[in-house]
Each structure stands twice: as C-alpha cells, then as structure tokens.
Amino acid sequence: MIDLTFPDGAVRSYEPGATGRTIAEGLSKSLAKKAAMLRLNGELYDLDRPIEGNASIEILTRDDPALLEVIRHDTAHLLAQAVQELFPGTQVTIGPAIEDGFYYDFARDEPFSLDDLPKIEKKMKELVDRDEKIVREVWERDAAIQHFEEIGEHYKAEIIRDLPGTETITVYRHGDTWKDLCRGPHFPSSKFIGKAFKLTKLAGAYWRGDHNNAQLQRIYGTAWASEEDLQAYITRLEEAEKRDHRKLGRQMNLFHMQEEGRGMVFWHPHGWTLWRTLEAYMRRRLDAAGYVEVKTPQVLDRTFWEKSGHWDKYRPNMFVCETVEGETLSLKPMNCPGHVQIFKVGLRSYKELPIRMAEFGACHRYEPSGSLHGLMRVRGFTQDDAHIFCREDQIVEETTKFITLCRQVHADLGMQAEHIALATRPEVRAGSDEFWDKAEAQMAEAARAAGVEPVIAEGDGAFYAPKLDFIVRDAIGRTWTCGTIQLDYVLPERLGAEYVAEDGSRQRPVMLHRAILGSFERFIGIMIENYGGKFPLWLAPIQVVVAPITSDANDYAQQVAAKLRSQGLRVDTDLRNEKINYKIREHSLAKVPVIAVVGRKEAETGEVALRYLGQEGQTVLSVDAAAEQLRTESLPPDLK
C-alpha cells in the first residue's frame, strides 16, 4: 500500500497505481466531476497517471490559479491539432505557454494569413466541444522516432533524437488519432481547456531560434480561465495600443528612430526636455542620498575588458573597433569596471566606506535587429548606474537604504510597487554553497529590514551573486522590472580593488551594483505608456501653452508667457490665426497639461483662463495668481 497525505494532514492508504480520478471518486462524486489535476509532492501531475509511492497530494479543480499555465499549454496543443485538421501536411514543432498566453511554431509551404485565425479559432472551439480525452503514453525512443518520421513530423523526430538517453519519452494523445510529443502535465480532456482564448498575431521564427535553420510560422494566442478574464485582457491590449510609446512619441514630437541608426534614439527638443527633467530629479535624489557622481571613458582597450571578465562573457554583445595602430577597442557595455578604477586611485581606508559612486553612463550593446523595440530595447542607452563599495558588515544597511530610495523614486514617477523579487543561485554559478547561503540571507534580511517580504525567483540570480529586482505595476495593470541591486565579490577581486581595514590589513570591498530606472530610454518608454502621454505638470516637456482667442490679444499672450516663464515654467505661445477651439483640440492631443486662454477681455482685466487637460471647464485667475498656482503645482515631488 502507498500512503498519501492530504492538505488537512489526513493520511490515507491506497493500492499502488491508484490515480487522482479514483481517489477523487472515493472522496466525493462532485469533486470527481470537477477534478482537473493533482499536485503531487508540490508538482503538477496528470489526474489519470498512476501514483506509485508515498506522497503529499492535493486534488485541483480547473479554477485553481496554479492551473492557468496548464490552460495555456493545453490551448497550444488545441491550436496545433486544429491547424493540422484544417491544413493537412503542416508540421508542428514546439508550442509552449508564455506570459499571458501561448504560441506554436509550424512548418508549412504556404503562409498563414490573418484571415486564417478566425477559422482556426472556430475549429479549436469544436475540439473543446468534442470533449476528447487527453491520455499520457510512454513510448520507446526508437519507436517514437520512427512513428513521427512516418507521419511526416520530422521536427518532432529531431527533438526526440536530441533528448538525453535517460529522458522518458512521453506522448499525449488527444482523442483517437492526434498526438503530440510533450512532457505534460495536461488536463484529462479538452472540455477542461474552455473557450476563453483568442489567437492574436502571426510572426516568423527560426527553428530552435537559430537564423541558420529553417524559417517557421508562429501563431500567438492568449488563454484565460474565464471569458471575463479574457475580455479584461483584450481591453488591456487595446489600452496598451493607445498608449504605445512609439505612437505617442511621434504624436508628442519626443523622439524618432531610423534605419541608419538601428537601436539608437534621436531625441527631439521636447523629448530631451523630458530627459533632462528626469535626470535633474534623479541627480537631486542621489545627492541627498550621499552619492558622488563620476564620468568614465566611453571607449577602452580590450585588455581592460579581458581583466574584468567581460571580454569572454559579453564579447558577442560588444561594439569593437580596430585602430591603425593595431589597438582593439570596445565601446563600454557597462560602467562597473570603470568605477573600480576610480576606487583604486589612492589608498582607501575602511573609514571612507561606504562609497556610493553614481554615473549617468552611456553604454552600447549589440542587440539583434529583430529584438529591437522602440525605447524598450535599444543598442545605445544611458544607465542610472551606481556602485556602492562597502565592507561586508555594511551590506544589509546599504541594501536597506537603497530599497527605501528606489521605492520613493518609483512612487514619485507614478509607478505602483508590486513586489521585490529575490533572485537566487542559478545552476551555473561562481562560489560555494556556503557563500550563496550567506549572500541570499543578506539580501532577504535587507528586504525585511525595509519592511518588504521578498518573493523568491528561483535560479534567476547573476552567476556571481544573488540580487533583488524591483517589480512595479503600471496604470493598466502590466508589471515591469525597474530597478535592481546585486552583490558582487568577484569584480573587486578580478580588478584588484582593496582598502585598508581597521587592523591595517588589506581587504577587498564588496561591490553593490544598483540601478533605479535601469536605463533612461526604457524607463521613459514605460513612463510614456504609464501616463498615456499625460505627464504630471512637473514632468511635462511643455507645461503651458498660452493661446490667444484673437490676434489682437497676441501681445498680451506674450506678456502672460513671459510672466509664467519667470516662475520657471516651460511655456509655448500659439499665435496662429486659427480658431481657439482648434488650438485647444490640437494641444490637448499633444497632451499639454495646461492651456492658458486669453482674449480681449482678459487683456483688459489682467486675467487668464486656465484649462487643465482632462478636466471640464476653466478657471479664471489674475496673471499673478495663475503664475503662483502653476509654479506650486509644477514643483517636483522632492522639492515640495
């Protein structure tokens, strides 16, 4: 007999080979009808798969949040089955669940079109209605290869050939005929998948992500536990499309990108004003937090990068050039090695630590052209980078201070804190288990000291140490990773950084790599989308446009603009011979926060009518009162 321990602590004995279905039937007929999967020893497990040994067990129904990824994985299978029924001869390759959905890659001579997607969706829903059983089968390796070759599934056969010899080959059969190579687990039948899915787009892909391999066709989709969740997601997508930073960037005349400078940004005056405003804010925050600002070279010799270890690890992502004198130089992909060089100048004492060294450092990394995406993924970027050189006994205190600073900045910039992820030891790593135990404990202690319980991100740490990543949520519910702090004992060792300890010995400092924005480019892209272009007054590139109703108020409009500028406001005037409603509509589309309307009456009374973006009506004030009100409202959060 085998002993199974249930969530309430009860232990029951069963014959070896019992399944989740038979166990559920023995507990409750209603539970047996709803049972969709097991959690066995903490892992998801097929409902009809035999259980061979003692285990902890939990019977899950479809509405359990843990099964959302299974819904998406099963829907990917549903997509593949539907495609092969509609388009015989199509080969299926791989189809994983991904964030918010799934995709499947297909090999087919004729291209899919967007018109095919509704047909495929309809067929997928028919498969759900068939309620086809999904059965796990274990196959012998050679028989599996032969089977998939015989039915023309050459990619599946290749996958099996490349699996380790110890790998169990599992195939999931849907209904009587269709089958797919997969580790699983899956629902017991297609009805559990539901119909809350939608195919979203087509894309190209290379077999196994290698551009030297055959090109495939990828179909993306999204799948959710309920129709309500699906509709909410579609609404978010529509809202995200309206907020696309590339579209708003053009509309607000902030920046552009072009083919001759792939992954590089051309900042227009309004966009650069936004950048400078953000940079000034960050500089004030860093000054107040005790950072010193430095500037390191843009180009350094390869020998420098060899010493730091980056040449071996990052060479494919570095921009390299040769000089006529035979030098091999590289644009810096990161700032940290340069900061170590500044630390090394002169003899450092333990009394000087911590040293918080910041740089708005311009970096360049080669990113494949297919991965570039507006401001979010670029080749040239500026990090709000800093490195804290400290003693080991200062790690927790410095990390705690950084957490407080980072969360304050994100709040000031309109980002809602979601959680802090503690990224733990990866499979391939430097250092002993004892080191990782200590380092992970230090990061966790620092987060708790700042009043935050970290969420464990298993295996996501850097190869040299764990890190804390800051996850924020934007106005439409999307999450972004903005900000990180990482422990590093390795680089100070590689580059020979040291300080004189209290006992006179030479010691290595600990290096804390940290960033709050990550890069200015990406963070500005996130901010544009978070605010939908409607920046708070202090951040807006143009804060006020003074618009006269008629041309005989132009002189007064310029006087008003001059008064507002004297208060430090960023002001434009619109003196065009256009109707006032046209001007208001145009500047509202450009997301100008305040339009100051003036006419003959306002000129006579010394007043101005303020219209705030997104608000009905207007407020009439004297020019002096309006200037003072706008000056106060435009103060950055750190200066209020």
Side-chain angles (χ1 to χ4, degrees), residues 179-200:
K179 59 189 78 69
D180 199 0
L181 175 73
C182 189
R183 288 192 179 95
H186 289 285
F187 288 133
S189 74
S190 60
K191 77 173 181 182
F192 286 89
I193 302 171
K195 297 181 182 179
F197 54 76
K198 183 174 180 59
L199 303 182
T200 54

Side-chain angles (χ1 to χ4, degrees), residues 137-146 160 169-170:
E137 300 176 351
V138 177
W139 287 30
E140 192 274 328
R141 173 184 296 266
D142 290 340
I145 292 171
Q146 181 179 347
I160 299 170
I169 308 301
T170 54

Side-chain angles (χ1 to χ4, degrees), residues 332-640:
K332 66 175 177 181
M334 53 200 63
N335 303 302
C336 38
H339 290 188
V340 177
Q341 305 313 303
I342 295 174
F343 179 88
K344 287 172 59 180
V345 174
L347 196 60
R348 300 286 184 179
S349 164
Y350 73 95
K351 295 179 181 179
E352 296 177 71
L353 304 182
I355 295 173
R356 307 179 189 100
M357 195 179 296
E359 178 176 8
F360 299 133
C363 298
H364 290 79
R365 296 179 190 171
Y366 170 73
E367 300 281 358
S369 58
S371 70
L372 301 175
H373 179 73
L375 299 178
M376 304 300 195
R377 191 77 175 267
V378 291
R379 290 175 174 174
F381 57 95
T382 299
Q383 290 181 310
D384 71 313
D385 211 0
H387 297 90
I388 301 170
F389 296 89
C390 63
R391 305 187 307 268
E392 194 168 36
D393 64 290
Q394 295 172 320
I395 290 172
V396 171
E397 181 183 3
E398 286 301 307
T399 303
T400 303
K401 287 180 178 178
F402 173 70
I403 292 170
T404 303
L405 173 63
C406 188
R407 293 204 131 185
Q408 179 63 66
V409 170
H410 288 161
D412 287 349
L413 296 174
M415 297 295 173
Q416 179 185 340
E418 175 68 12
H419 65 269
I420 294 178
L422 171 55
T424 59
R425 66 197 77 185
E427 205 168 303
V428 178
R429 59 184 182 268
S432 65
D433 286 343
E434 290 76 17
F435 159 77
W436 280 91
D437 289 342
K438 179 177 72 173
E440 288 169 1
Q442 287 169 324
M443 292 279 96
E445 182 185 349
R448 292 178 185 125
V452 179
E453 183 61 35
V455 175
I456 303 300
E458 200 72 44
D460 284 349
F463 80 94
Y464 49 81
K467 60 178 180 171
L468 295 175
D469 288 329
F470 294 74
I471 315 301
V472 298
R473 185 175 293 276
D474 70 11
I476 59 173
R478 297 173 300 181
T479 56
W480 305 86
T481 300
C482 294
T484 187
I485 185 165
Q486 305 175 7
L487 267 175
D488 187 357
Y489 288 82
V490 175
L491 196 60
E493 178 76 30
R494 278 183 172 274
L495 296 180
E498 59 184 22
Y499 67 92
V500 178
E502 189 172 7
D503 63 2
S505 64
R506 300 293 179 93
Q507 301 292 331
R508 300 288 184 204
V510 178
M511 194 173 180
L512 298 175
H513 302 248
R514 47 111 297 182
I516 297 174
L517 308 182
S519 80
F520 274 80
E521 288 79 2
R522 178 174 176 269
F523 196 86
I524 288 174
I526 293 171
M527 279 204 312
I528 291 170
E529 298 196 0
N530 180 53
Y531 288 117
K534 298 177 183 178
F535 290 109
L537 192 58
W538 75 275
L539 267 176
I542 295 298
Q543 295 169 317
V544 186
V545 168
V546 183
I549 298 171
T550 57
S551 59
D552 56 2
N554 283 359
D555 289 344
Y556 181 64
Q558 290 177 321
Q559 293 171 27
V560 171
K563 176 66 177 179
L564 297 179
R565 290 191 189 103
S566 73
Q567 298 299 306
L569 292 156
R570 297 185 287 274
V571 184
D572 268 356
T573 55
D574 187 345
L575 306 180
R576 295 174 300 166
N577 187 24
E578 299 285 356
K579 292 182 178 180
I580 190 62
N581 287 340
Y582 177 85
K583 294 179 182 180
I584 290 171
R585 184 169 59 253
E586 192 169 79
H587 294 302
S588 296
L589 288 172
K591 316 298 184 188
V592 176
V594 181
I595 302 172
V597 178
V598 296
R600 198 177 301 120
K601 176 186 171 185
E602 286 77 17
E604 291 171 355
T605 60
E607 293 177 323
V608 61
L610 302 182
R611 300 178 64 96
Y612 285 82
L613 184 64
Q615 295 182 14
E616 295 292 331
Q618 58 189 29
T619 303
V620 179
L621 298 170
S622 70
V623 174
D624 287 344
E628 177 58 25
Q629 177 173 304
L630 292 172
R631 184 196 68 80
T632 303
E633 291 173 347
S634 67
L635 285 174
D638 63 306
L639 297 181
K640 288 185 176 178

Side-chain angles (χ1 to χ4, degrees), residues 70-88:
V70 178
I71 290 173
R72 290 169 177 164
H73 192 177
D74 279 33
T75 311
H77 280 227
L78 207 62
L79 165 62
Q81 185 179 358
V83 164
Q84 290 196 312
E85 287 196 14
L86 289 170
F87 307 101

